[in-house]
Amino acid sequence: MKHRRSRHIGRGFLAIAATAFAVTAASLIGGPALADTGAPPVEWDASSIDEVYAPADGYYSYAPSVIREGATEWIWSCHNDDFRVIKDHIYLTKIVDGVVVDSRSVLQASPSPAWDSFHVCDPSVVAGRFSYQGTTYGLAMFYLGNDLDASAHNQVGVAFANRPEGPWVKLPDPVVTFDRTDQWGAGQPTAVSMPGKPGTVLLGYTQGDTSTRAFVVSVDLRAAESAKISEPRLLPTAGLTGTDGAPDYLNGFDLVYDKRGDRFLTVREQHPYPTDNPWWIGPSVQVAAIDADDLVKGRGVWTPAGDVDESLTGFPRNHNAGFARDWKGNLAAKDDVTVVFTKSCSSLPTVDDQDWSQATCDSLYSYDLWSIDGELRKRR
């Protein structure tokens, strides 16, 4: 799925969290980050492009949340469970030494009339210390859910587990709510553990109503039954560029924290959208960087770091991407960046096929996962 405030809103909590994040991050790297030189932070290695996971014919996989530890990767993705049936589950694909050893559905829609009774998609998994109904959990999965067979009325929920494969226990109500059933809603979450606050996460998400915007909140899940969610902060878009070089907006993004540079990187969908099939996804994703304190406070300017596009990968669509991260949402390797992106085919209409009904590109069922590595330039 591409594109209600919580019951307990903690005013001022995000500002406190921002200070804690900046102070703790500075202590982790031995002092404040120095000014950027303005050079692109990431240098891509085109020879590293590799297929990560290809679902069977009639199935799709996209929007990965990737955790890497040594030679093992856990990838949660948006995936269908029945042949050529568009109903989203969240799958976990486990990869060891580059080989897929397991792939299965680990989170499904709830029974109707629950808020997430049709699609569950767009996972973001992070480690911490979360308490719910007397049990302490080490993992939280934020996800998009809805109750319609449509790209509408999306909201963001959370589930807990102590193992990557689950069982995952859902909080019954969404943590980011959206009331209208005729608009896209809130979704595409991305979560990072707050340093020094193992029960609190920084949560970014997309909201689509009369326009498309990105927000960030802090979510305190030390007692998840009474979760404390801060007021949303609108994320900046200054510095982001589209495929045409023009200023761009922010949606469909993942975040990772670079401790050494005390900054966040985002990988996000670029615009404008193309005119050929599929026209609802961008042709490329862009990596950009911003100071951690600026992101948390909803200010500042992004520094573009490089695009993952057809000229680099050879694919006409490179979309719905995520970073390889550690369990807390930091870079998996301190000087390297790995982006796991979704590949898709594309096709043009013909005079006799204006609605693409005969198109050779069966775009949704061409969605599979690929990766590319880059070297992260150190800040002086």
Side-chain angles (χ1 to χ4, degrees), residues 18 32 68 130 241 267 270 275 286:
R68 176 184 292 167
F130 314 106
T241 55
V267 58
Q270 275 190 303
T275 56
Q286 181 178 62

Side-chain angles (χ1 to χ4, degrees), residues 230-304:
S230 68
E231 290 284 359
R233 289 277 178 88
L234 179 67
L235 287 180
T237 59
L240 299 176
T241 55
T243 56
D244 55 1
D248 206 0
Y249 60 95
L250 181 59
N251 74 306
F253 64 104
D254 191 29
L255 294 173
V256 67
Y257 181 55
D258 168 24
K259 291 193 290 185
R260 181 180 293 251
D262 190 22
R263 59 185 169 183
F264 281 98
L265 302 180
T266 189
V267 58
R268 56 109 201 167
E269 194 154 314
Q270 275 190 303
H271 313 91
Y273 289 120
T275 56
D276 59 336
N277 173 43
W279 62 90
W280 55 88
I281 55 175
S284 58
V285 294
Q286 181 178 62
V287 174
I290 195 169
D291 285 342
D293 191 50
D294 281 346
L295 179 132
V296 173
K297 292 180 178 178
R299 67 186 187 193
V301 178
W302 295 93
T303 300

Side-chain angles (χ1 to χ4, degrees), residues 69-330:
E69 184 177 53
T72 302
E73 286 185 335
W74 294 264
I75 302 178
W76 293 264
S77 69
C78 191
H79 201 298
N80 60 325
D81 198 50
D82 295 311
F83 179 74
R84 298 189 73 85
V85 174
I86 304 174
K87 187 172 184 180
D88 297 336
H89 288 225
I90 292 174
Y91 265 53
L92 171 61
T93 300
K94 185 177 180 180
I95 300 172
V96 180
D97 290 322
V99 178
V100 175
V101 298
D102 190 26
S103 192
R104 68 174 87 167
S105 175
V106 295
L107 196 76
Q108 305 82 34
S110 300
S112 182
W115 70 273
D116 61 348
S117 58
F118 199 89
H119 288 297
V120 292
C121 190
D122 294 349
S124 184
V125 176
V126 68
R129 186 175 175 84
F130 314 106
S131 179
Y132 178 55
Q133 293 185 337
T135 300
T136 299
Y137 296 96
L139 297 174
M141 178 197 296
F142 292 85
Y143 66 96
L144 172 154
N146 83 349
D147 55 0
L148 301 173
D149 184 7
S151 187
H153 201 211
N154 297 313
Q155 302 180 82
V156 177
V158 64
F160 306 105
N162 280 315
R163 298 184 302 168
E165 63 273 20
W168 290 90
V169 178
K170 295 177 180 179
L171 199 66
D173 298 317
V175 294
V176 179
T177 59
F178 190 85
D179 290 332
R180 293 189 60 154
T181 60
D182 61 339
Q183 295 177 338
W184 189 85
Q188 300 174 334
T190 174
V192 176
S193 181
M194 295 290 288
K197 294 177 174 288
T200 302
V201 301
L202 187 70
L203 176 67
Y205 62 93
T206 301
Q207 182 162 309
D209 39 47
T210 57
S211 65
T212 302
R213 295 145 359 257
F215 292 89
V216 66
V217 295
S218 58
V219 184
D220 183 348
L221 295 167
R222 290 174 295 177
E225 298 93 334
S226 55
K228 297 181 176 64
I229 297 94
S230 68
E231 290 284 359
R233 289 277 178 88
L234 179 67
L235 287 180
T237 59
L240 299 176
T241 55
T243 56
D244 55 1
D248 206 0
Y249 60 95
L250 181 59
N251 74 306
F253 64 104
D254 191 29
L255 294 173
V256 67
Y257 181 55
D258 168 24
K259 291 193 290 185
R260 181 180 293 251
D262 190 22
R263 59 185 169 183
F264 281 98
L265 302 180
T266 189
V267 58
R268 56 109 201 167
E269 194 154 314
Q270 275 190 303
H271 313 91
Y273 289 120
T275 56
D276 59 336
N277 173 43
W279 62 90
W280 55 88
I281 55 175
S284 58
V285 294
Q286 181 178 62
V287 174
I290 195 169
D291 285 342
D293 191 50
D294 281 346
L295 179 132
V296 173
K297 292 180 178 178
R299 67 186 187 193
V301 178
W302 295 93
T303 300
D307 302 340
V308 178
D309 57 18
E310 186 173 10
S311 68
L312 182 62
T313 68
F315 304 133
R317 295 289 188 280
N318 308 268
H319 62 100
N320 280 287
F323 291 107
R325 315 190 308 174
D326 70 10
W327 291 100
K328 297 297 183 68
N330 307 313

Side-chain angles (χ1 to χ4, degrees), residues 287-369:
V287 174
I290 195 169
D291 285 342
D293 191 50
D294 281 346
L295 179 132
V296 173
K297 292 180 178 178
R299 67 186 187 193
V301 178
W302 295 93
T303 300
D307 302 340
V308 178
D309 57 18
E310 186 173 10
S311 68
L312 182 62
T313 68
F315 304 133
R317 295 289 188 280
N318 308 268
H319 62 100
N320 280 287
F323 291 107
R325 315 190 308 174
D326 70 10
W327 291 100
K328 297 297 183 68
N330 307 313
L331 287 169
K334 62 183 179 181
D335 293 327
D336 298 307
V337 173
T338 296
V339 169
V340 178
F341 61 94
T342 310
K343 177 267 290 176
S344 170
C345 61
S346 68
S347 61
L348 290 166
T350 66
V351 172
D352 298 324
D353 187 28
Q354 291 294 317
D355 64 355
W356 284 281
S357 61
Q358 303 172 46
T360 56
C361 171
D362 194 3
S363 59
L364 179 61
Y365 297 107
S366 73
Y367 288 10
D368 56 5
L369 303 180

